[in-house]
Amino acid sequence: MQIFSDVRQFQLPQDTAAAIGKFDGVHRGHRSLLKEVLEEKKSGLCAAVFTFDPAPEAYFKKEPVPQLTTREEKRKILEDLGVDYLVE
């Protein structure tokens, strides 16, 4: 999985299906959405996830907010699921 972190400009090199969200915990709802994106790999698209780091509420509150998973855990889960690109 290729990770784009702390960037304002990037370019994904292939046609891509994408999911956007916080993905904290990568719970059943997240997995359902990701299943749809990952299904598109069968038609030749890559799978990308756009997520937030820090989480939106932490960014706007300007203080730490408890998370269900660490950045590293989230990355590992998404990679294990088959995500090709992670944009944080």
Side-chain angles (χ1 to χ4, degrees):
M1 178 174 72
Q2 185 173 354
I3 299 172
F4 297 89
S5 185
D6 297 322
V7 295
R8 295 197 186 272
Q9 295 183 358
F10 62 92
Q11 184 171 347
L12 299 178
Q14 299 166 300
D15 290 341
T16 306
I20 301 171
K22 184 175 165 186
F23 293 98
D24 185 33
V26 193
H27 58 66
R28 285 191 328 188
H30 294 136
R31 289 176 189 262
S32 178
L33 175 60
L34 291 170
K35 180 181 175 186
E36 297 294 322
V37 170
L38 293 165
E39 188 72 20
E40 294 300 321
K41 291 177 80 166
K42 293 178 182 175
S43 63
L45 297 178
C46 288
V49 169
F50 288 74
T51 190
F52 308 98
D53 187 47
E57 59 271 25
Y59 177 82
F60 289 108
K61 286 183 177 181
K62 306 286 187 208
E63 61 186 53
V65 175
Q67 301 296 305
L68 297 174
T69 55
T70 65
R71 177 189 316 173
E72 291 75 23
E73 290 169 332
K74 184 189 310 187
R75 287 176 173 178
K76 175 78 169 116
I77 292 167
L78 294 172
E79 182 173 37
D80 289 348
L81 288 172
V83 172
D84 299 301
Y85 302 107
L86 176 60
V87 183
E88 299 174 320

